[in-house]
Amino acid sequence: MDLIASFTIDHMKLLPGLYVSRKDNVNDSVLTTFDIRMTRPNFEPVMNTAEMHAIEHLGATFLRNNADWKDKVVYFGPMGCRTGFYLILAGDYASADIVGLMVSMYEFIRDYEGDIPGAAPEECGNYLDLNLPMAKYLAKKYLDEVLYGITDERLIYPQ
């Protein structure tokens, strides 16, 4: 059985960053999957589900309300390993193409005040498992350590 694309990346060399994970052709369209890697795999603690859940709610809300990108967003959600998120966009993109979008999204999360969108039992299957303060902390950390001043080392998967 062939390994899926993400399992072929050496996770011992992978740094937090913003990477193109794969590109898929669907009919006449390209779907680009991005690896939004927030923690260094196998070297630092993974994120807890409550803060990942809050980032997911806030990130998805931001992306699906962004005037320039909302019609291109197919999916935004957590990685099972809890080291980051996947974003799937309709279109053929490079990592550098969405740095501005990711900066805006993570600034939105870092600065968010109020009730988390979708945090009611009628709207979410696990509405009590959300941690806004930690989501804001992790968003700030990702901005400061990765997105602000990002270099090719954090935009292209290691060989």
Side-chain angles (χ1 to χ4, degrees):
M1 189 175 301
D2 293 334
L3 289 177
I4 62 172
S6 62
F7 295 161
T8 66
I9 303 304
D10 186 344
H11 284 63
M12 298 304 289
K13 295 179 182 176
L14 188 57
L15 298 174
L18 177 60
Y19 307 99
V20 170
S21 175
R22 59 184 290 144
K23 294 184 182 188
D24 295 290
N25 293 304
V26 179
N27 298 323
D28 294 330
S29 300
V30 175
L31 297 180
T32 304
T33 301
F34 293 94
D35 172 334
I36 304 167
R37 192 66 60 155
M38 292 182 64
T39 66
R40 187 170 179 199
N42 305 307
F43 283 87
E44 62 181 307
V46 299
M47 293 177 281
N48 292 313
T49 59
E51 47 262 35
M52 289 195 79
H53 194 193
I55 291 169
E56 176 192 16
H57 277 233
L58 292 168
T61 298
F62 173 85
L63 291 166
R64 291 193 173 98
N65 282 280
N66 182 285
D68 296 327
W69 291 93
K70 67 181 178 181
D71 294 331
K72 298 170 181 79
V73 176
V74 175
Y75 172 79
F76 174 74
M79 295 177 178
C81 63
R82 297 184 298 155
T83 62
F85 293 84
Y86 286 116
L87 171 63
I88 303 173
L89 295 177
D92 188 356
Y93 298 103
S95 297
D97 296 333
I98 68 159
V99 169
L101 176 65
M102 291 295 95
V103 167
S104 295
M105 184 181 88
Y106 278 93
E107 287 175 343
F108 172 79
I109 295 167
R110 178 197 65 197
D111 299 337
Y112 190 82
E113 297 293 334
D115 294 333
I116 296 173
E122 302 83 13
E123 301 165 333
C124 178
N126 195 9
Y127 76 101
L128 294 175
D129 190 30
L130 294 158
N131 186 337
L132 181 58
M134 275 305 295
K136 292 169 62 121
Y137 169 83
L138 290 169
K140 180 182 182 327
K141 182 177 187 293
Y142 188 62
L143 284 162
D144 292 344
E145 295 179 7
V146 178
L147 291 177
Y148 293 150
I150 196 165
T151 62
D152 285 348
E153 176 185 42
R154 301 210 183 211
L155 290 169
I156 301 166
Y157 274 141
Q159 297 300 313

